[in-house]
Amino acid sequence: MKTKELPRLFTDSNKRASFFAQYFAIFAVIYHVVFIILFYVFKVWPMVFMNFYSVPFFTLLTFISPKRKSYIGIYLFSCLEVYTHQTLGVYCLGIASGYHFFFIPFALLPLFTFKNKISFAMIFTILGGIVFMIIEGMSSMFPTVYEIPKNVLTVIRFTNILLAIAVILSSTLIYAFIVNNSEKVLENKVEKKSQEVIEIHKHTVDSLANLVESRDSDTGEHIQRISKYVEYIATSAMKKGLYKETLTESFISLLNRAAPLHDIGKIVIADEILKKPARLTIDEFEIIKTHTVEGKKIVRDIVGISNDEDYIKIAEEIALSHHERWDGKGYPQGLKAEEIPLSARILAIADVFDALISERCYKPAYTIDEAYKIIKEEAGSHFDPILAELFIEVREEFLRGCGIQKN
């Protein structure tokens, strides 16, 4: 079997039906070759002839099976061949000679081929079994052509049983393998498709966030930096054992994906306010504050289609609460301390740090030392003191890991 056909075997019911039709046909060829030799040794010539005729019949089926979408004809002819053997076995040997064991694999075949006609397949199988039982029961009524010693009949029966068990066990194992890998292939496809959707969604979100960010700064690289910063801060906190109930790899991954949306609400703010180089008036600052509430609404519209409630929750939290302060003097809700979602507390440090070291239309860039000094001074007032202390503690690793040049 070619490797490139393997996935189709796991996902295509027609391919599976074709495979099992070939499998049983090839097994039947081997089976009849064994009995040609066996009956030749015991000189039961009608059975030699019958088995000899069956070899080209099943050999032909191995070539026909892959090219057929319906296996009803093949199945019926196979059953006819088995019935003929059974009858001839009764006539020649005086017993059914164990052929009913060999019928079992053929009884399984419809279950792989008729798909939506399982009831028909089961009825056909049951009827076939009844016919065999009748033939077996009537075997003593037939005169036998050959007087075969009991030890020879024992060999014939034993060989039938062994071959039947071999095909049943092997086909069951193969089928189990196919089913198991079918599930894996399906899972991989779903995972791949989900990843593609996530990537498309992330690209869309990043593009929109870049568009919004480019109105407020010289470049749209701010959101990429923020994503790196929050991931590094959150990962460092997790390694330190902080906020164990919340900080998980899944949480950090979602926070990284959601970070670009923190300022999405600025899309509703007019340029004359957003890009104003001078100090904002009280009214203008009140308008600026609305970007948090508007951001939450926009986030729900943008990421709501993802059906990932954890992602939506984190995205809404950072959009709404990244300007809240630890001392309760932030906006828009005046939350304080741990009332502020952890996601927003992490992003607040990352956002302020990047804003400090970046040049904007209304201010020059601060040095790295100056930015860290401000973060330290505002720990416990603006920022979560535990996270701020951690941020300062891992300064060198953070700067190196995020590719920030010292100045």
Side-chain angles (χ1 to χ4, degrees):
M1 186 179 299
K2 295 180 181 178
T3 304
K4 66 179 182 181
E5 293 180 348
L6 206 56
R8 285 190 61 201
L9 177 61
F10 296 148
T11 58
D12 188 331
S13 58
N14 283 325
K15 191 69 178 175
R16 285 197 295 272
S18 173
F19 171 80
F20 275 97
Q22 282 183 290
Y23 175 78
F24 289 128
I26 291 170
F27 182 88
V29 171
I30 297 170
Y31 177 91
H32 287 95
V33 168
V34 169
F35 274 93
I36 286 173
I37 297 170
L38 190 62
F39 285 117
Y40 176 80
V41 171
F42 297 135
K43 302 192 182 307
V44 184
W45 302 114
M47 296 304 289
V48 171
F49 171 76
M50 192 63 191
N51 281 277
F52 185 79
Y53 136 76
S54 298
V55 170
F57 171 78
F58 283 107
T59 302
L60 182 63
L61 288 188
T62 63
F63 295 102
I64 294 176
S65 297
K67 297 177 174 59
R68 300 283 296 181
K69 291 185 177 180
S70 173
Y71 303 96
I72 296 177
I74 295 173
Y75 179 69
L76 291 177
F77 277 112
S78 299
C79 288
L80 177 63
E81 195 273 347
V82 175
Y83 283 129
T84 307
H85 267 56
Q86 184 77 354
T87 305
L88 193 57
V90 169
Y91 175 70
C92 290
L93 308 177
I95 61 169
S97 69
Y99 279 95
H100 55 287
F101 286 99
F102 188 54
F103 179 77
I104 295 174
F106 285 95
L108 294 175
L109 188 55
L111 302 179
F112 302 110
T113 58
F114 294 127
K115 292 179 286 295
N116 297 325
K117 300 178 182 177
I118 298 299
S119 58
F120 168 77
M122 292 180 70
I123 291 170
F124 198 87
T125 299
I126 291 170
L127 289 176
I130 292 172
V131 170
F132 272 117
M133 290 173 66
I134 292 172
I135 294 175
E136 179 85 11
M138 295 175 61
S139 62
S140 61
M141 298 172 58
F142 288 81
T144 56
V145 176
Y146 293 92
E147 289 295 333
I148 300 180
K150 285 186 178 181
N151 63 324
V152 174
L153 291 178
T154 300
V155 171
I156 294 171
R157 278 186 176 276
F158 186 69
T159 306
N160 268 283
I161 293 171
L162 281 181
L163 290 172
I165 290 173
V167 71
I168 293 167
L169 286 178
S170 59
S171 61
T172 301
L173 290 173
I174 291 171
Y175 184 67
F177 173 77
I178 290 173
V179 169
N180 182 53
N181 281 276
S182 296
E183 292 175 354
K184 289 181 180 178
V185 168
L186 182 60
E187 288 172 2
N188 290 339
K189 281 190 172 183
V190 170
E191 185 178 347
K192 183 179 179 182
K193 185 58 67 175
S194 298
Q195 192 59 41
E196 288 176 358
V197 171
I198 289 172
E199 287 300 321
I200 292 171
H201 185 268
K202 187 176 186 302
H203 179 73
T204 303
V205 167
D206 286 353
S207 297
L208 182 57
N210 267 319
L211 178 64
V212 174
E213 191 61 37
S214 64
R215 299 175 61 230
D216 188 34
S217 58
D218 294 333
T219 73
E221 293 177 1
H222 171 67
I223 62 167
Q224 276 78 34
R225 294 196 299 268
I226 291 297
S227 292
K228 283 184 182 179
Y229 296 173
V230 296
E231 182 177 24
Y232 201 96
I233 295 170
T235 301
S236 298
M238 183 178 70
K239 289 178 179 178
K240 291 284 186 179
L242 304 176
Y243 303 111
K244 292 180 181 179
E245 293 182 0
T246 305
L247 283 177
T248 63
E249 289 184 2
S250 175
F251 175 88
I252 295 170
S253 175
L254 294 175
L255 179 59
N256 173 268
R257 282 174 53 200
L261 292 168
H262 71 284
D263 271 340
I264 197 72
K266 286 183 178 179
I267 198 169
V268 303
I269 308 299
D271 279 353
E272 54 265 28
I273 297 176
L274 196 63
K275 293 186 176 183
K276 185 178 179 180
R279 187 179 182 86
L280 297 175
T281 66
I282 294 176
D283 289 340
E284 287 170 339
F285 187 57
E286 288 301 316
I287 293 173
I288 282 286
K289 286 182 180 181
T290 64
H291 85 274
T292 54
V293 177
E294 293 299 325
K296 180 182 177 180
K297 295 177 183 176
I298 295 170
V299 162
R300 173 59 64 170
D301 291 337
I302 292 175
V303 305
I305 58 172
S306 73
N307 293 322
D308 188 336
E309 285 301 322
D310 291 335
Y311 175 48
I312 295 170
K313 179 175 179 290
I314 291 174
E316 286 182 330
E317 286 174 352
I318 63 175
L320 179 66
S321 304
H322 67 283
H323 284 293
E324 299 287 0
R325 291 172 53 100
W326 187 259
D327 58 12
K329 297 179 181 179
Y331 65 87
Q333 296 173 298
L335 301 178
K336 63 181 179 179
E338 293 193 3
E339 293 176 352
I340 307 167
L342 180 61
S343 57
R345 294 181 346 239
I346 294 172
L347 194 131
I349 295 175
D351 189 35
V352 171
F353 178 77
D354 192 69
L356 288 171
I357 65 173
S358 301
E359 183 179 352
R360 297 292 171 86
C361 60
Y362 49 83
K363 73 165 193 69
Y366 286 73
T367 66
I368 299 295
D369 288 339
E370 289 171 334
Y372 267 96
K373 182 181 178 182
I374 291 173
I375 297 291
K376 183 177 182 179
E377 288 174 350
E378 298 197 6
S381 56
H382 189 156
F383 307 113
D384 178 335
I386 296 175
L387 292 176
E389 182 181 348
L390 171 73
F391 183 70
I392 295 167
E393 181 183 333
V394 298
R395 170 175 173 168
E396 294 304 318
E397 296 93 329
F398 172 79
L399 296 176
R400 185 168 55 252
C402 294
I404 300 173
Q405 299 294 325
K406 297 180 182 180
N407 52 20

